[in-house]
């Protein structure tokens, strides 16, 4: 799997996390294949953005023009060149282009596919403010700036409330104190309802609402 810059650590079970937990967190990239475990619906490689990448992100967000880039195809030089051309501050985007290239190659390797769907965009509002599940098999998300995605442990979900809102539906969140949030830079694989044998257990998550004047920079990748 392509290397991604991060401190190395072993995969451990933090204190207070039940052994039956459906999530796995580690600073080691080897945590990402845990998404293939039947009981895991969230696998997260925790990482901090280095100085060069942080500066590249800030340079893009400092421009009035937002980022709105889509790609579907093989990761590689053509993808990176297309991304560089479409950044609002391409002269300061090398570290961001390289990081996205590494993530796309890791995604292709992990899922044995030559085709990756990629979306990089700035957001000033919540893209999906209601807790929901994805109908696709799996998606990787990472937030480069702004508030990162929120998710719910299974014990805090009332799945009867999912889907289109209706007055007769119960609240999706059974325990508001249990809402959890990813961190900036985290690489998170979210298993959806399209994953075979996971039809009723897709990870419940949502996009947070940025503060007034705040912008998110969000990357999402879908294999195949």
């Amino acid at each position: 799997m392509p290397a991604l810059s991060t401190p190395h650590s072993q995969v451990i079970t933090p204190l207070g996390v039940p052994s039956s937990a459906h999530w796995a967190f580690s600073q080691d990239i080897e945590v990402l294949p845990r998404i293939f475990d039947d009981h895991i619906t969230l696998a997260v490689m925790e990482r901090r953005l280095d100085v060069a990448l942080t500066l590249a992100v800030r340079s893009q967000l400092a421009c009035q023009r937002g980022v709105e880039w889509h790609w579907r195809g093989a990761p590689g030089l053509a993808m990176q060149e297309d991304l560089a051309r479409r950044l609002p501050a391409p002269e300061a985007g090398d570290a961001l282009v390289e990081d996205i290239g590494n993530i796309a190659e890791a995604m292709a390797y992990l899922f044995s596919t030559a085709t990756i769907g990629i979306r990089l965009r700035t957001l000033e509002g919540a893209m999906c403010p209601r807790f929901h599940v994805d109908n696709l098999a799996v998606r990787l998300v990472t937030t480069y700036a702004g508030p990162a995605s929120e998710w719910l442990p299974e014990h805090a979900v009332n799945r009867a409330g999912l889907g289109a809102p209706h007055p007769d539906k119960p609240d999706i969140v059974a325990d508001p104190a249990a809402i959890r949030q990813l961190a900036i830079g985290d690489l998170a694989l979210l298993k959806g309802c399209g994953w075979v044998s996971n039809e009723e257990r897709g990870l419940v998550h949502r996009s947070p609402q940025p503060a007034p004047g705040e912008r998110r920079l969000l990357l999402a990748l879908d294999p195949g």
Side-chain angles (χ1 to χ4, degrees):
M1 190 179 298
L4 295 171
S5 176
T6 183
H8 183 81
S9 71
Q10 294 182 333
V11 179
I12 60 174
T13 301
L15 294 176
V17 175
S19 59
S20 60
H22 59 89
W23 59 90
F25 282 68
S26 173
Q27 294 178 352
D28 194 321
I29 194 172
E30 294 302 325
V31 72
L32 295 182
R34 293 287 309 280
I35 199 68
F36 292 101
D37 294 356
D38 288 343
H39 69 287
I40 294 294
T41 60
L42 175 66
V44 181
M45 176 184 170
E46 300 169 295
R47 61 173 194 155
R48 293 183 179 180
L49 306 185
D50 62 27
V51 173
L53 184 50
T54 299
L55 291 176
V57 169
R58 289 177 180 173
S59 295
Q60 310 313 312
L61 295 179
C63 298
Q64 184 175 3
R65 177 169 70 89
V67 180
E68 184 68 43
W69 175 72
H70 300 265
W71 175 271
R72 184 170 181 80
L77 183 59
M79 183 211 77
Q80 294 187 44
E81 290 177 343
D82 186 74
L83 171 57
R85 285 194 300 268
R86 296 175 183 273
L87 289 176
E91 71 285 351
D94 287 355
L96 179 60
V97 171
E98 179 181 5
D99 190 63
I100 293 173
N102 287 339
I103 294 171
E105 289 182 8
M107 190 79 163
Y109 177 88
L110 182 61
F111 292 98
S112 300
T113 179
T115 302
I116 299 290
I118 311 175
R119 180 176 57 186
L120 179 70
R121 62 187 302 191
T122 48
L123 298 165
E124 296 183 3
M127 184 171 61
C128 301
R130 179 177 167 83
F131 275 109
H132 65 283
V133 296
D134 293 333
N135 290 322
L136 43 71
V138 66
R139 170 169 287 163
L140 186 147
V141 298
T142 188
T143 302
Y144 285 110
S149 301
E150 298 177 339
W151 62 280
L152 286 171
E154 190 61 32
H155 76 270
V157 176
N158 186 341
R159 290 187 177 267
L162 293 170
H166 189 278
D168 294 335
K169 284 189 173 182
D171 290 338
I172 298 169
V173 183
D175 180 6
I179 295 174
R180 305 194 182 188
Q181 187 167 30
L182 300 171
I184 290 175
D186 285 352
L187 301 180
L189 283 171
L190 285 59
K191 190 180 286 182
C193 293
W195 187 288
V196 176
S197 78
N198 197 65
E199 292 82 359
E200 304 299 327
R201 297 181 59 251
L203 184 79
V204 178
H205 63 285
R206 71 178 177 187
S207 298
Q209 179 65 48
E214 184 180 30
R215 302 168 89 185
R216 295 181 75 203
L217 183 60
L218 178 68
L219 177 71
L221 299 92
D222 302 332

